[in-house]
């Protein structure tokens, strides 16, 4: 039987393989789509992204993390969460379907309405795969997840690129996302092997909700915080201006998630397994922090240094304005994987309340700052957001140190 150390090493290897291949595919097809689509196409998708992310968080409601955090979850726990996700996912889609005209009115963009109703199908498509995803993470089935994700991202990227080539514009981006989610749900069902029963016992959901509700609230604030610029740019500026920022944000995220995805697959399960052995847990956390910093700072800051040349060579001069935004985002992006690792440690200690308080404070500070800074222009807003997130890395360090 494999030791936890061997499982962690294999998890890191397959996590890096998963994210490495996904990011390579993302780079290749990101270049293709960037050349085929306009700034406004990306801006349209960016303007509605926060609604999708918040609704997805409500659908999940923190139960994926709660299941991973349970020491010995029972079949009834999984079954209860499964049916909860199905019900909430369907309700979320219905609510946002009828709220789409309000979103279009906020952005003064009628074309957003049908796009919302199509893109938000992702809630219904992802709902059946939440429990299977938690099972795979709990069992450290990183190799199997890697194969599923690679197949899904390749297929969906090809479909999105063909649609963009045929002139479908932002519909190509929405279809790419929906296809990726659908395929992942199908693959997770095949790999996890767990099947729900028709009985629904609400007690496990109620029991886990005391923990998961704090994760839910934190996730919603986190997503709003990450997308506050998309929300404000779409309202105060234009879809084109939002598209320039979103292109920079996506390339910065690709580099960051190359690290976070590799570490996220193993960090929280390992921290949970070592919770009863504080000295080993602390040693594991320190190794993960050192390893993360060793990769994060040279990789992300280095990408920022060549961002202008990268944009010009790959996406052509039409996206040059994104390069100046990308340089700034990469400075904050170098710190983000460490912040995520420290916050995962806090969650693994069962201190979701501490995680919630910190995330809410960060989110409110970010939102207020962006509203104050928007008259000074997009670049100033980005500098403000990056500065706040760098400072908050040390807040996470202080909170983790107390535990």
């Amino acid at each position: 039987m494999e030791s936890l150390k061997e499982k962690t090493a294999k998890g890191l290897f397959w996590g890096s393989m998963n994210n490495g291949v996904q990011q390579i595919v993302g780079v290749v097809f990101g270049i293709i789509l960037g050349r085929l689509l306009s700034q406004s196409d990306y801006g349209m998708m960016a303007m509605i992204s926060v609604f999708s992310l918040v609704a997805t968080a409500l659908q999940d409601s923190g139960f994926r993390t709660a299941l991973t955090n349970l020491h010995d979850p029972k079949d009834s726990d999984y079954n209860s969460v499964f049916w909860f996700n199905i019900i909430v996912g369907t309700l979320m889609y219905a609510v946002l379907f009828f709220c789409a005209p309000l979103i279009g009115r906020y952005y003064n963009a009628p074309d957003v309405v049908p796009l919302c109703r199509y893109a938000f199908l992702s809630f219904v498509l992802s709902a059946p795969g939440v429990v299977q995803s938690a099972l795979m993470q709990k069992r450290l089935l990183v190799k199997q997840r890697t194969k599923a994700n690679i197949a899904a991202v390749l297929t969906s990227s090809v479909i999105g690129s063909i649609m963009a080539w045929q002139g479908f514009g932002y519909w190509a981006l929405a279809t790419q996302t929906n296809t990726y989610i659908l395929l992942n749900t199908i693959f997770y069902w095949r790999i996890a092997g767990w099947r729900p029963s028709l009985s629904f016992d609400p007690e496990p959901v109620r029991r886990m909700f005391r923990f998961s509700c704090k994760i839910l609230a934190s996730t919603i604030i986190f997503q709003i915080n990450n997308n506050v610029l998309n929300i404000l740019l779409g309202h105060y500026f234009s879809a084109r201006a939002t598209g320039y920022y979103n292109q920079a944000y996506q390339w910065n995220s690709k580099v960051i998630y190359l690290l976070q995805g590799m570490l996220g697959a193993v960090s929280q399960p390992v921290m949970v397994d070592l919770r009863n052995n504080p000295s080993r847990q602390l040693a594991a956390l320190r190794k993960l922090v050192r390893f993360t910093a060793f990769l994060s700072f040279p990789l992300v800051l280095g990408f920022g240094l060549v961002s202008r040349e990268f944009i010009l060579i790959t996406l052509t001069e039409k996206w040059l304005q994104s390069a100046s935004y990308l340089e700034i985002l990469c400075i904050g992006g170098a710190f983000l994987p460490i912040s995520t690792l420290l916050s995962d440690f806090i969650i693994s200690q069962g201190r979701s309340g501490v995680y919630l308080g910190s995330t809410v404070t960060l989110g409110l500070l970010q939102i207020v700052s962006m509203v104050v800074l928007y008259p000074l222009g997009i670049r100033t807003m980005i500098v403000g957001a990056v500065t706040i997130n760098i400072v908050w890395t040390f807040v996470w360090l202080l909170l983790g140190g107390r535990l």
Side-chain angles (χ1 to χ4, degrees):
M1 186 174 179
E2 287 184 323
S3 66
L4 181 61
K5 184 176 181 180
E6 290 171 331
K7 287 182 178 180
T8 304
K10 287 188 176 181
L12 285 169
F13 171 78
W14 284 105
S16 61
M17 177 70 72
N18 177 27
N19 283 275
V21 173
Q22 286 211 53
Q23 297 310 321
I24 290 171
V25 172
V27 167
V28 172
F29 286 97
I31 293 170
I32 293 171
L33 290 169
R35 286 172 172 264
L36 292 172
L37 299 176
S38 70
Q39 294 88 342
S40 296
D41 290 330
Y42 277 91
M44 290 283 282
M45 285 300 296
M47 289 189 295
I48 68 170
S49 62
V50 67
F51 300 100
S52 295
L53 293 167
V54 169
T56 300
L58 286 168
Q59 173 197 313
D60 180 276
S61 295
F63 288 120
R64 190 198 312 261
T65 304
L67 286 172
T68 305
N69 229 45
L70 287 178
H71 183 68
D72 187 23
K74 299 178 175 59
D75 190 71
S76 59
D77 296 324
Y78 291 121
N79 199 69
S80 182
V81 171
F82 175 84
W83 289 112
F84 175 86
N85 287 324
I86 295 292
I87 294 168
V88 175
T90 305
L91 287 175
M92 283 295 100
Y93 179 74
V95 169
L96 286 173
F97 181 92
F98 292 108
C99 287
L102 298 177
I103 298 172
R105 199 171 303 145
Y106 172 78
Y107 289 120
N108 195 27
D111 291 344
V112 164
V113 177
L115 178 62
C116 285
R117 290 172 172 170
Y118 178 64
F120 294 161
L121 283 170
S122 59
F123 314 143
V124 181
L125 298 175
S126 64
V130 172
V131 169
Q132 280 76 4
S133 176
L135 269 165
M136 293 168 66
Q137 186 173 358
K138 185 74 175 175
R139 298 170 183 170
L140 288 177
L141 298 177
V142 186
K143 178 180 178 180
Q144 293 83 344
R145 183 193 288 267
T146 297
K147 293 179 179 179
N149 290 345
I150 290 173
V153 74
L154 274 172
T155 305
S156 61
S157 297
V158 169
I159 291 172
S161 298
I162 291 173
M163 289 184 66
W165 178 54
Q166 292 296 315
F168 283 90
Y170 48 77
W171 295 102
L173 295 172
T175 302
Q176 180 183 8
T177 301
N178 284 349
T179 303
Y180 175 77
I181 291 171
L182 174 62
L183 291 175
N184 258 340
T185 299
I186 294 171
F187 293 147
Y188 287 178
W189 268 68
R190 182 178 178 86
I191 295 168
W194 180 86
R195 296 294 180 267
S197 63
L198 294 177
S199 62
F200 175 65
D201 179 10
E203 180 55 32
V205 167
R206 282 199 295 264
R207 188 177 66 250
M208 284 184 279
F209 192 69
R210 292 185 63 185
F211 175 86
S212 67
C213 67
K214 297 171 186 175
I215 302 297
L216 167 63
S218 303
T219 303
I220 291 174
I221 296 296
F222 177 80
Q223 297 297 358
I224 293 173
N225 179 36
N226 274 2
N227 289 274
V228 65
L229 282 170
N230 284 326
I231 299 169
L232 293 176
L233 294 181
H235 180 68
Y236 291 113
F237 296 92
S238 65
R240 184 180 178 86
T242 308
Y244 277 123
Y245 166 76
N246 188 250
Q247 187 70 260
Y249 176 80
Q250 286 195 32
W251 285 107
N252 182 53
S253 298
K254 281 178 172 48
V255 181
I256 294 169
Y257 292 149
L258 177 65
L259 299 172
Q260 285 193 177
M262 174 181 66
L263 294 163
V266 297
S267 61
Q268 196 183 4
V270 169
M271 290 296 115
V272 172
D273 283 344
L274 295 175
R275 189 160 51 191
N276 295 325
N277 192 333
S279 60
R280 286 189 64 199
Q281 187 187 56
L282 179 59
L285 176 62
R286 283 175 171 161
K287 287 180 181 178
L288 286 170
V289 169
R290 287 198 297 268
F291 181 68
T292 301
F294 177 73
L295 295 178
S296 176
F297 286 100
L299 180 63
V300 184
L301 294 177
F303 182 63
L305 289 173
V306 299
S307 57
R308 181 181 177 85
E309 291 76 11
F310 174 81
I311 294 292
L312 280 173
I313 293 170
T314 58
L315 301 179
T316 72
E317 196 172 348
K318 76 174 184 178
W319 288 104
L320 187 58
Q321 189 171 331
S322 297
S324 63
Y325 301 157
L326 182 55
E327 290 171 348
I328 305 168
L329 289 173
C330 283
I331 297 172
F335 290 83
L336 190 57
I338 297 175
S339 296
T340 303
L341 189 60
L342 292 168
S343 62
D344 281 348
F345 166 73
I346 292 170
I347 294 171
S348 74
Q349 298 294 98
R351 303 298 294 272
S352 55
V354 175
Y355 176 75
L356 171 61
S358 178
T359 305
V360 168
T361 306
L362 171 61
L364 292 174
L365 179 62
Q366 189 93 315
I367 291 168
V368 171
S369 300
M370 294 305 98
V371 171
V372 171
L373 292 175
Y374 95 84
L376 301 177
I378 298 174
R379 187 180 177 86
T380 304
M381 294 171 72
I382 296 172
V383 170
V386 165
T387 302
I388 291 169
N389 279 286
I390 291 174
V391 170
W392 219 257
T393 302
F394 298 95
V395 174
W396 287 119
L397 185 63
L398 176 64
L399 295 172
R402 289 179 175 177
L403 300 177

